[in-house]
Amino acid sequence: MTMRVPVLLLLFALGATPGQAQMYEGRELVETTLVADTTAIVPGQPFRLGLHLRMAPGWHTYWENPGDSGLPTTFDPDLPDGFRIGPIEWPLPKRIIEPGGIQGYAFKGDVLLVRTITPPDDLAEGSLEIKAPSTWLVCEAICIPGRAEPTLDLPVAAQGAPDN
């Protein structure tokens, strides 16, 4: 698992387009992008959906177990009835020591959080806009809560091809 996530991060990042950004005092702290590992949603076939976070240099977000302080990032795709969604697949974080000896588990630079989505077998062809409300806490010398709702439009088709 630890090798798969960095490889997926690279693959997803190469094909992704910029999403929403968290701004603070005119500076972009976190950019979010929603990506998928397929060109189309195929009824009944699982696919992977990723939330890519890119933090400004020196800033970090937190892992599912943030440590002594911090809050984990949330990534909750809004899907129609009948879809199943797996838990977030977290890459391994870096251990950080913050002022006062506070230990945390965080991500700096880029991180890709992935969830496996299984659409229902009877999904009609067409198009689906996936919205993924997400929240995080980004920290440097101060911590600032962030939120975004990146979206991704995918066709629903009988076949899809690998993407990103």
Side-chain angles (χ1 to χ4, degrees):
M1 177 63 179
T2 57
M3 289 299 291
R4 276 195 326 196
V5 173
V7 170
L8 283 173
L9 175 60
L10 176 63
L11 293 175
F12 283 148
L14 290 175
T17 56
Q20 299 177 339
Q22 176 186 6
M23 302 296 290
Y24 176 71
E25 294 184 348
R27 185 170 176 211
E28 184 179 52
L29 298 183
V30 179
E31 179 185 313
T32 62
T33 307
L34 195 60
V35 295
D37 70 350
T38 183
T39 58
I41 298 171
V42 178
Q45 297 297 310
F47 66 97
R48 296 175 64 150
L49 186 69
L51 175 66
H52 179 223
L53 299 174
R54 175 171 288 141
M55 282 70 74
W59 292 80
H60 62 270
T61 59
Y62 291 94
W63 187 48
E64 67 181 323
N65 174 3
D68 295 333
S69 68
L71 295 170
T73 298
T74 66
F75 167 33
D76 298 310
D78 185 15
L79 299 166
D81 289 340
F83 278 73
R84 292 188 322 253
I85 184 165
I88 295 174
E89 296 177 32
W90 294 87
L92 291 177
K94 294 185 190 278
R95 189 182 102 161
I96 59 172
I97 304 296
E98 299 182 277
I102 297 171
Q103 180 173 277
Y105 299 99
F107 303 106
K108 294 182 178 187
D110 290 271
V111 66
L112 180 68
L113 305 179
V114 176
R115 297 188 80 166
T116 299
I117 311 289
T118 305
D121 293 328
D122 60 352
L123 189 62
E125 287 193 13
S127 181
L128 179 66
E129 179 183 61
I130 301 172
K131 295 180 182 180
S134 305
T135 63
W136 59 84
L137 186 65
V138 63
C139 300
E140 186 192 41
I142 61 170
C143 293
I144 303 168
R147 64 181 305 119
E149 191 173 284
T151 60
L152 179 65
D153 289 314
L154 284 173
V156 177
Q159 286 186 302
D163 198 15
N164 294 312

